[in-house]
Amino acid sequence: RVMTLNYACISGRVKLVLYDDRPKSKTRGRLMEIFLGPDDYSLVQIPPGIWNGFKGMSEPCAIVANCCTHPHDPRRSDRLDPFDEAIPYDWNVRHK
């Protein structure tokens, strides 16, 4: 709710999915899919209020570093089942 996340995939590959559900946002209802890994070692900064999740795409594993702006406190975070229909996303691999 108040934390900014800073994700980087430092080993392997992940698919990072973002969904903007903020009521007054110009990008409300938009999905963004980003593949992070050997060909894109970007740092992705995610502001508060953006739903996000990632899926490992490499064997045997992937490692994601998260340097957030606040200490983790589960009472201050909202979680949603990744298959909940509130977020219109299919977790299968999509091709651009």
Side-chain angles (χ1 to χ4, degrees), residues 20-28:
D20 188 353
D21 192 34
R22 298 171 297 176
K24 296 180 181 180
S25 173
K26 292 179 183 178
T27 58
R28 182 181 176 133

Side-chain angles (χ1 to χ4, degrees), residues 10-85:
I10 59 173
S11 178
R13 177 180 306 287
V14 296
K15 173 172 61 170
L16 172 63
V17 178
L18 309 170
Y19 180 67
D20 188 353
D21 192 34
R22 298 171 297 176
K24 296 180 181 180
S25 173
K26 292 179 183 178
T27 58
R28 182 181 176 133
R30 284 198 193 162
L31 282 164
M32 179 181 254
E33 180 182 67
I34 305 166
F35 288 86
L36 299 172
D39 56 337
D40 189 354
Y41 284 119
S42 297
L43 174 67
V44 179
Q45 190 171 65
I46 305 169
I50 300 291
W51 289 101
N52 65 91
F54 48 86
K55 178 179 180 179
M57 304 298 296
S58 58
E59 292 293 335
C61 64
I63 299 171
V64 175
N66 176 17
C67 299
C68 54
T69 56
H70 294 72
H72 178 70
D73 181 350
R75 296 170 297 169
R76 295 174 60 178
S77 297
D78 295 320
R79 293 206 175 267
L80 189 62
D81 183 307
F83 301 105
D84 189 301
E85 293 182 7

